[in-house]
Amino acid sequence: MAVLLELDSAWYDYAPDIPALAGVSLTVAAGERVVILGANGCGKTTLLKLLAGLLFPQRGRYRAFGREITEPLLSRDSFGVFFRKEVGVLFQNVDAQLFNPTVEDEIAFGPLQLNDPPGDVQRTVRESLDRFGLRGLAGRPPFALSGGEKKKVALAAMLAVDPRVLLLDEPTAGLDPRSSRILVDLILEAQALGKTVVTSTNDLHIVPEIAGRVVVFGEDRRILASGTPEVILQDRAILRTA
C-alpha cells in the first residue's frame, strides 16, 4: 500500500526541554488501521495534532498526500482546503469542536464550507441523522447532549465531508458500554469503506477489533514498539513499560 502520511524524526516541545514528541518517525499507508497506545502524557494527542496539521514539527518533517506539510502550505486556499477536507479529526474533548446552534447545523457546517449545493447538503444531513440515530436530536443544541451523543454528532459532522483519513483521539473515553459499542461499530464501518484510520486509545479491549497495526509510545515520547495487535497485546513486558 502507498504511504499516505509520514512523520520523519519529528520533534515538538510545548516548553523548552520538555518534549511532547522526541524524534518520532511513523508511516501510515492508505487504508491502514493504526492504533496508538501509551500512558497519559506520552504524546499520543500531540501526534494526532501533527498528523491533522494543527501543529507542525519544530524539527523533522511531516509529509501527507505527497507534499511536505507546513503552516504556509495549509494557509494556501487550494491545498489547504483539500487537506482539511481529506483529514478529519475527532478530539477527545468533543466540546472543543461542537459550536453550532443545533445538531442539524453542526452536520451541515462542513459541506456548506465546501460550497456543496444546498440540495446535496440537505441530503447529507438527512442521511447522517439516520445513520447515527440522531433524527430525534436534530433541533437540539449540541451542548445539551450526553457525552455519547456529542461524540456521535462530532463523528457525523466529520464524516459529512467524506474525509479520506480519520484521526480519532480516545473516541470511547468516558462512554458507557453501549455508547462505546456504537462508536466502535462506526469506526469499523469507516474502515470497511476504505478510510485510513489512526486511533489513540487506552481501552485495550477494543484494540483487536479496530487495529491492523499497533504503535506503542513510551514515556520518553518515542515509539517503543510496533506490530500486530496479537503480538503487542501479548507482550506484557512492553505494555508494563509503556
Side-chain angles (χ1 to χ4, degrees), residues 25 49-50 59 97 109 179 185 198:
S25 295
K49 287 182 176 179
L50 261 67
R59 284 177 280 167
Q97 66 188 106
F109 182 82
S179 296
D185 288 342
V198 182

XYZ file of all heavy atoms in Angstrom, residues 25 49-50 59 97 109 179 185 198:
75
model
N 9.352 8.874 14.142
C 9.197 8.541 12.723
C 8.087 7.508 12.597
O 8.101 6.483 13.282
C 10.501 7.988 12.138
O 11.520 8.975 12.131
N -2.348 15.671 16.484
C -2.424 17.078 16.075
C -1.431 17.378 14.955
O -1.725 18.179 14.065
C -2.177 17.992 17.267
C -3.339 18.035 18.256
C -3.068 18.992 19.409
C -4.269 19.090 20.338
N -4.019 20.009 21.485
N -0.261 16.745 14.987
C 0.683 16.920 13.889
C 0.135 16.294 12.608
O 0.205 16.900 11.533
C 2.043 16.306 14.235
C 3.110 17.286 14.726
C 2.736 17.865 16.083
C 4.480 16.605 14.803
N 11.242 20.288 14.642
C 12.372 19.657 13.950
C 11.836 18.421 13.250
O 10.850 17.834 13.678
C 13.471 19.257 14.942
C 14.307 20.421 15.448
C 15.310 19.964 16.474
N 14.678 19.801 17.794
C 15.232 19.191 18.826
N 16.427 18.607 18.696
N 14.600 19.130 19.982
N -15.012 21.031 19.605
C -15.277 21.100 18.178
C -16.755 21.205 17.835
O -17.115 21.194 16.658
C -14.641 19.908 17.454
C -15.219 18.547 17.791
C -14.399 17.429 17.169
O -13.674 16.732 17.854
N -14.508 17.248 15.863
N -22.399 22.057 8.620
C -21.362 23.079 8.588
C -20.253 22.755 7.588
O -19.881 23.596 6.755
C -20.768 23.275 9.981
C -19.712 24.352 10.046
C -20.066 25.678 10.155
C -18.362 24.030 9.979
C -19.098 26.679 10.194
C -17.388 25.015 10.020
C -17.758 26.341 10.134
N -22.683 2.984 24.438
C -22.184 4.068 23.599
C -20.824 3.719 23.006
O -20.530 4.042 21.846
C -22.092 5.362 24.407
O -23.360 5.785 24.838
N -18.494 0.348 16.348
C -19.153 -0.079 15.114
C -19.015 0.976 14.017
O -18.832 0.649 12.839
C -20.631 -0.377 15.369
C -20.839 -1.661 16.158
O -19.891 -2.481 16.213
O -21.929 -1.845 16.728
N -6.503 6.349 12.169
C -5.496 6.336 13.232
C -6.213 6.696 14.529
O -6.801 7.767 14.640
C -4.360 7.347 12.962
C -3.305 7.263 14.072
C -3.724 7.084 11.594
